[in-house]
Amino acid sequence: MGNALSPKQPSRKELLKALRVEGGKGTALLDDRDAGETFGWDKEQAVAEFAAEMAELVELQKRLYADGSNSVLFVLQAMDAAGKDSTIRSVFSGLNPAGVDVNPFGVPTDEERAHDYLWRIHQHAPADGRIGVFNRSHYEDVLVVRVKGFADEQVWKRRYDHIANFEQMLADEGTTIIKVFLNVSRDEQKERFQERLDRPDKNWKFRAGDLDDRTLWPEFMRAYTDALEKTSTDDAPWYVVPADRKWARNVCIARILRHHLEEIDPQYPAPEAGLDQIVID
Ligand code: ADP
């Protein structure tokens, strides 16, 4: 598996290194990343590679579920129309749904607002054996909240430390945390928005408010850059996945997941004693 790659395509290790964010560098990390990157795959190769990775993931998830001693938290953040929903559909619908919990985090309800910002998040941290998928997350509280001025600077600034500590606690207690920023270009977002306007079956996805966020693109990129750099750690790394081409995106995400599941190395529990003596009438 993976041996058929031509030399211009990265090995799994090289790919992960290219996608991963080294925390604390203080660089303009998103400026250097191409949202249209394909890593040398064409569509057909990428689709085949994705299918092969998914077959491995299915087996790994089965073992994670059966083993029941670790969990995985997959955090997905992106600008509108970057493909969060489509990523979840493409990658996680191939797994056993009994072991996957998908949680979207939208504008907080009155009840959520009446609590600290991690309250609604913590309730959905995955249980042992399960994969939790966050479609948006606690990161909104240092992204949209910062960019739109929903909280004072002194309030959102101290949240990076809260978040890093919260995630470290989850990791220490057995949760493998994987965080993905889907990096879509502003041009590609325009095309996808236009499609939402043009196609009746996609009209429902368009909210005029999405255009407000689009005009704040540089401010959002600034906020993403800070968030990713300040909270990418060994136990809760961020990956920046190029998202203009869905097929390249899917391979990247499947490989990231596979890497982390292999690191967990879940095992089927030992069988009950005497199973080999049992005869079924
Ligand atoms: P999506 O855009 O993810 O498909 P929605 O259309 O329901 O889903 O949008 C969710 C909206 O909720 C986004 O605009 C996002 O910025 C906003 N949101 C999420 N969390 C917060 C938060 N903590 N405070 C304010 N707004 C938030």
Side-chain angles (χ1 to χ4, degrees):
M1 209 133 312
N3 295 335
L5 295 179
S6 74
K8 63 180 175 156
Q9 293 159 327
S11 67
R12 188 171 294 114
K13 205 170 152 202
E14 287 163 347
L15 181 72
L16 259 82
K17 191 163 184 287
L19 300 175
R20 194 160 170 153
V21 174
E22 294 300 329
K25 284 272 168 70
T27 54
L29 86 114
L30 295 177
D31 296 348
D32 303 337
R33 310 226 179 193
D34 177 7
E37 176 67 79
T38 61
F39 297 106
W41 283 293
D42 62 25
K43 184 173 179 181
E44 200 183 334
Q45 290 167 323
V47 168
E49 193 60 27
F50 177 60
E53 294 289 340
M54 283 307 300
E56 297 293 326
L57 274 176
V58 166
E59 173 59 26
L60 283 160
Q61 186 217 1
K62 256 200 225 170
R63 287 203 263 137
L64 182 84
Y65 189 78
D67 187 324
S69 37
N70 293 90
S71 60
V72 173
L73 173 58
F74 183 85
V75 172
L76 198 51
Q77 283 289 157
M79 296 296 282
D80 290 311
K84 292 194 292 354
D85 292 338
S86 132
T87 298
I88 293 169
R89 231 178 12 253
S90 305
V91 177
F92 295 95
S93 68
L95 303 182
N96 176 3
V100 180
D101 305 302
V102 179
N103 296 105
F105 293 98
V107 177
T109 62
D110 287 345
E111 190 189 20
E112 288 168 350
R113 239 183 255 286
H115 292 81
D116 69 86
Y117 67 99
L118 291 175
W119 179 78
R120 66 172 180 164
I121 305 294
H122 200 173
Q123 304 179 47
H124 294 288
D128 287 343
R130 310 187 68 81
I131 299 179
V133 179
F134 284 2
N135 183 351
R136 302 187 189 269
S137 65
H138 42 303
Y139 283 95
E140 293 293 326
D141 290 283
V142 289
L143 294 167
V144 70
V145 166
R146 165 181 172 172
V147 171
K148 299 263 184 84
F150 296 154
D152 291 342
E153 181 166 347
Q154 55 155 2
V155 171
W156 57 255
K157 265 203 164 156
R158 59 190 181 210
R159 290 181 174 169
Y160 300 113
D161 284 343
H162 302 158
I163 289 173
N165 287 332
F166 169 65
E167 291 179 352
Q168 190 60 54
M169 181 277 289
L170 294 181
D172 291 347
E173 295 291 319
T175 300
T176 289
I177 303 175
I178 305 163
K179 300 179 290 192
V180 166
F181 170 62
L182 291 180
N183 188 25
V184 77
S185 67
R186 201 160 180 268
D187 288 346
E188 179 66 21
Q189 189 198 48
K190 183 179 180 184
E191 281 189 25
R192 294 183 188 177
F193 275 171
Q194 193 60 52
E195 201 183 12
R196 290 179 179 188
L197 288 173
D198 294 344
R199 280 184 42 181
D201 64 322
K202 293 208 169 181
N203 286 168
W204 65 276
K205 285 190 176 183
F206 190 84
R207 289 183 308 126
D210 293 347
L211 296 180
D212 298 341
D213 290 3
R214 180 173 166 78
T215 60
L216 292 166
W217 191 276
E219 288 80 359
F220 269 104
M221 290 308 110
R222 187 77 239 278
Y224 267 109
T225 300
D226 278 353
L228 269 56
E229 283 180 344
K230 289 180 195 297
T231 62
S232 194
T233 63
D234 285 349
D235 284 332
W238 272 106
Y239 295 91
V240 176
V241 168
D244 279 7
R245 292 190 178 79
K246 293 179 180 177
W247 37 269
R249 172 202 76 192
N250 286 349
V251 181
C252 292
I253 290 180
R255 285 195 167 184
I256 292 167
L257 276 167
R258 180 175 170 188
H259 166 77
H260 285 282
L261 279 160
E262 282 180 346
E263 284 215 317
I264 297 172
D265 192 23
Q267 302 295 326
Y268 290 117
E272 277 179 38
L275 277 198
D276 51 345
Q277 311 295 321
I278 294 177
V279 178
I280 301 174
D281 298 331

PDB file of all heavy atoms in Angstrom, residues 21-38:
ATOM      1  N   VAL A  21       1.135  21.611  11.756  1.00  0.00           N
ATOM      2  CA  VAL A  21       1.544  22.953  12.197  1.00  0.00           C
ATOM      3  C   VAL A  21       2.483  22.804  13.390  1.00  0.00           C
ATOM      4  O   VAL A  21       2.142  22.148  14.367  1.00  0.00           O
ATOM      5  CB  VAL A  21       0.309  23.780  12.641  1.00  0.00           C
ATOM      6  CG1 VAL A  21       0.733  25.121  13.226  1.00  0.00           C
ATOM      7  CG2 VAL A  21      -0.648  23.961  11.472  1.00  0.00           C
ATOM      8  N   GLU A  22       3.652  23.392  13.260  1.00  0.00           N
ATOM      9  CA  GLU A  22       4.566  23.438  14.404  1.00  0.00           C
ATOM     10  C   GLU A  22       4.129  24.609  15.266  1.00  0.00           C
ATOM     11  O   GLU A  22       4.135  25.747  14.798  1.00  0.00           O
ATOM     12  CB  GLU A  22       6.007  23.669  13.931  1.00  0.00           C
ATOM     13  CG  GLU A  22       6.592  22.532  13.114  1.00  0.00           C
ATOM     14  CD  GLU A  22       6.642  21.215  13.887  1.00  0.00           C
ATOM     15  OE1 GLU A  22       6.802  21.250  15.120  1.00  0.00           O
ATOM     16  OE2 GLU A  22       6.501  20.156  13.248  1.00  0.00           O
ATOM     17  N   GLY A  23       3.766  24.345  16.489  1.00  0.00           N
ATOM     18  CA  GLY A  23       3.269  25.410  17.359  1.00  0.00           C
ATOM     19  C   GLY A  23       4.359  26.402  17.744  1.00  0.00           C
ATOM     20  O   GLY A  23       5.550  26.094  17.685  1.00  0.00           O
ATOM     21  N   GLY A  24       3.917  27.608  18.066  1.00  0.00           N
ATOM     22  CA  GLY A  24       4.816  28.586  18.664  1.00  0.00           C
ATOM     23  C   GLY A  24       5.857  29.205  17.750  1.00  0.00           C
ATOM     24  O   GLY A  24       6.813  29.819  18.223  1.00  0.00           O
ATOM     25  N   LYS A  25       5.687  29.061  16.442  1.00  0.00           N
ATOM     26  CA  LYS A  25       6.697  29.594  15.527  1.00  0.00           C
ATOM     27  C   LYS A  25       6.538  31.100  15.270  1.00  0.00           C
ATOM     28  O   LYS A  25       7.485  31.784  14.928  1.00  0.00           O
ATOM     29  CB  LYS A  25       6.623  28.864  14.182  1.00  0.00           C
ATOM     30  CG  LYS A  25       7.233  27.476  14.209  1.00  0.00           C
ATOM     31  CD  LYS A  25       8.726  27.542  13.904  1.00  0.00           C
ATOM     32  CE  LYS A  25       9.468  26.254  14.179  1.00  0.00           C
ATOM     33  NZ  LYS A  25       9.174  25.188  13.276  1.00  0.00           N
ATOM     34  N   GLY A  26       5.298  31.567  15.405  1.00  0.00           N
ATOM     35  CA  GLY A  26       5.047  32.992  15.183  1.00  0.00           C
ATOM     36  C   GLY A  26       5.239  33.420  13.734  1.00  0.00           C
ATOM     37  O   GLY A  26       5.579  34.563  13.458  1.00  0.00           O
ATOM     38  N   THR A  27       5.018  32.500  12.788  1.00  0.00           N
ATOM     39  CA  THR A  27       5.191  32.847  11.367  1.00  0.00           C
ATOM     40  C   THR A  27       3.835  33.016  10.686  1.00  0.00           C
ATOM     41  O   THR A  27       2.805  32.683  11.251  1.00  0.00           O
ATOM     42  CB  THR A  27       5.943  31.720  10.626  1.00  0.00           C
ATOM     43  OG1 THR A  27       5.251  30.509  10.868  1.00  0.00           O
ATOM     44  CG2 THR A  27       7.367  31.606  11.104  1.00  0.00           C
ATOM     45  N   ALA A  28       3.877  33.523   9.472  1.00  0.00           N
ATOM     46  CA  ALA A  28       2.638  33.686   8.697  1.00  0.00           C
ATOM     47  C   ALA A  28       2.306  32.359   8.042  1.00  0.00           C
ATOM     48  O   ALA A  28       2.425  32.193   6.840  1.00  0.00           O
ATOM     49  CB  ALA A  28       2.819  34.781   7.667  1.00  0.00           C
ATOM     50  N   LEU A  29       1.871  31.408   8.838  1.00  0.00           N
ATOM     51  CA  LEU A  29       1.817  30.028   8.345  1.00  0.00           C
ATOM     52  C   LEU A  29       0.841  29.799   7.205  1.00  0.00           C
ATOM     53  O   LEU A  29       1.080  28.949   6.363  1.00  0.00           O
ATOM     54  CB  LEU A  29       1.548  29.060   9.496  1.00  0.00           C
ATOM     55  CG  LEU A  29       0.131  28.768   9.928  1.00  0.00           C
ATOM     56  CD1 LEU A  29      -0.169  27.315   9.625  1.00  0.00           C
ATOM     57  CD2 LEU A  29      -0.037  29.008  11.404  1.00  0.00           C
ATOM     58  N   LEU A  30      -0.248  30.538   7.162  1.00  0.00           N
ATOM     59  CA  LEU A  30      -1.206  30.263   6.095  1.00  0.00           C
ATOM     60  C   LEU A  30      -0.782  30.870   4.765  1.00  0.00           C
ATOM     61  O   LEU A  30      -1.174  30.394   3.706  1.00  0.00           O
ATOM     62  CB  LEU A  30      -2.605  30.747   6.496  1.00  0.00           C
ATOM     63  CG  LEU A  30      -3.205  29.995   7.692  1.00  0.00           C
ATOM     64  CD1 LEU A  30      -4.546  30.569   8.086  1.00  0.00           C
ATOM     65  CD2 LEU A  30      -3.345  28.504   7.380  1.00  0.00           C
ATOM     66  N   ASP A  31       0.036  31.909   4.807  1.00  0.00           N
ATOM     67  CA  ASP A  31       0.503  32.530   3.558  1.00  0.00           C
ATOM     68  C   ASP A  31       1.315  31.550   2.719  1.00  0.00           C
ATOM     69  O   ASP A  31       1.362  31.646   1.498  1.00  0.00           O
ATOM     70  CB  ASP A  31       1.398  33.743   3.852  1.00  0.00           C
ATOM     71  CG  ASP A  31       0.619  34.832   4.555  1.00  0.00           C
ATOM     72  OD1 ASP A  31      -0.617  34.731   4.586  1.00  0.00           O
ATOM     73  OD2 ASP A  31       1.252  35.768   5.081  1.00  0.00           O
ATOM     74  N   ASP A  32       1.991  30.636   3.393  1.00  0.00           N
ATOM     75  CA  ASP A  32       2.895  29.723   2.684  1.00  0.00           C
ATOM     76  C   ASP A  32       2.188  28.486   2.163  1.00  0.00           C
ATOM     77  O   ASP A  32       2.813  27.624   1.558  1.00  0.00           O
ATOM     78  CB  ASP A  32       4.008  29.241   3.634  1.00  0.00           C
ATOM     79  CG  ASP A  32       4.773  30.406   4.217  1.00  0.00           C
ATOM     80  OD1 ASP A  32       4.754  31.472   3.581  1.00  0.00           O
ATOM     81  OD2 ASP A  32       5.371  30.243   5.296  1.00  0.00           O
ATOM     82  N   ARG A  33       0.904  28.339   2.443  1.00  0.00           N
ATOM     83  CA  ARG A  33       0.233  27.079   2.089  1.00  0.00           C
ATOM     84  C   ARG A  33      -0.727  27.287   0.929  1.00  0.00           C
ATOM     85  O   ARG A  33      -1.530  28.201   0.938  1.00  0.00           O
ATOM     86  CB  ARG A  33      -0.542  26.553   3.297  1.00  0.00           C
ATOM     87  CG  ARG A  33       0.324  26.531   4.546  1.00  0.00           C
ATOM     88  CD  ARG A  33       0.172  25.252   5.267  1.00  0.00           C
ATOM     89  NE  ARG A  33       1.036  25.237   6.454  1.00  0.00           N
ATOM     90  CZ  ARG A  33       1.301  24.163   7.157  1.00  0.00           C
ATOM     91  NH1 ARG A  33       0.779  23.011   6.821  1.00  0.00           N
ATOM     92  NH2 ARG A  33       2.084  24.214   8.209  1.00  0.00           N
ATOM     93  N   ASP A  34      -0.619  26.389  -0.035  1.00  0.00           N
ATOM     94  CA  ASP A  34      -1.427  26.498  -1.246  1.00  0.00           C
ATOM     95  C   ASP A  34      -2.715  25.678  -1.074  1.00  0.00           C
ATOM     96  O   ASP A  34      -2.648  24.449  -0.930  1.00  0.00           O
ATOM     97  CB  ASP A  34      -0.578  25.962  -2.416  1.00  0.00           C
ATOM     98  CG  ASP A  34      -1.350  25.950  -3.723  1.00  0.00           C
ATOM     99  OD1 ASP A  34      -2.482  26.472  -3.753  1.00  0.00           O
ATOM    100  OD2 ASP A  34      -0.811  25.419  -4.712  1.00  0.00           O
ATOM    101  N   ALA A  35      -3.849  26.359  -1.113  1.00  0.00           N
ATOM    102  CA  ALA A  35      -5.131  25.676  -0.934  1.00  0.00           C
ATOM    103  C   ALA A  35      -5.423  24.707  -2.087  1.00  0.00           C
ATOM    104  O   ALA A  35      -6.250  23.807  -1.967  1.00  0.00           O
ATOM    105  CB  ALA A  35      -6.256  26.698  -0.813  1.00  0.00           C
ATOM    106  N   GLY A  36      -4.750  24.905  -3.218  1.00  0.00           N
ATOM    107  CA  GLY A  36      -4.972  24.035  -4.381  1.00  0.00           C
ATOM    108  C   GLY A  36      -3.932  22.924  -4.503  1.00  0.00           C
ATOM    109  O   GLY A  36      -3.913  22.196  -5.506  1.00  0.00           O
ATOM    110  N   GLU A  37      -3.091  22.767  -3.490  1.00  0.00           N
ATOM    111  CA  GLU A  37      -2.041  21.730  -3.512  1.00  0.00           C
ATOM    112  C   GLU A  37      -2.649  20.343  -3.740  1.00  0.00           C
ATOM    113  O   GLU A  37      -3.692  20.012  -3.165  1.00  0.00           O
ATOM    114  CB  GLU A  37      -1.314  21.763  -2.158  1.00  0.00           C
ATOM    115  CG  GLU A  37      -0.260  20.720  -1.959  1.00  0.00           C
ATOM    116  CD  GLU A  37       0.939  20.909  -2.877  1.00  0.00           C
ATOM    117  OE1 GLU A  37       1.790  21.765  -2.581  1.00  0.00           O
ATOM    118  OE2 GLU A  37       1.004  20.191  -3.891  1.00  0.00           O
ATOM    119  N   THR A  38      -1.987  19.541  -4.594  1.00  0.00           N
ATOM    120  CA  THR A  38      -2.477  18.173  -4.833  1.00  0.00           C
ATOM    121  C   THR A  38      -1.422  17.122  -4.487  1.00  0.00           C
ATOM    122  O   THR A  38      -1.671  15.923  -4.624  1.00  0.00           O
ATOM    123  CB  THR A  38      -2.866  17.973  -6.313  1.00  0.00           C
ATOM    124  OG1 THR A  38      -1.698  18.184  -7.103  1.00  0.00           O
ATOM    125  CG2 THR A  38      -3.956  18.933  -6.736  1.00  0.00           C
TER     126      THR A  38
END
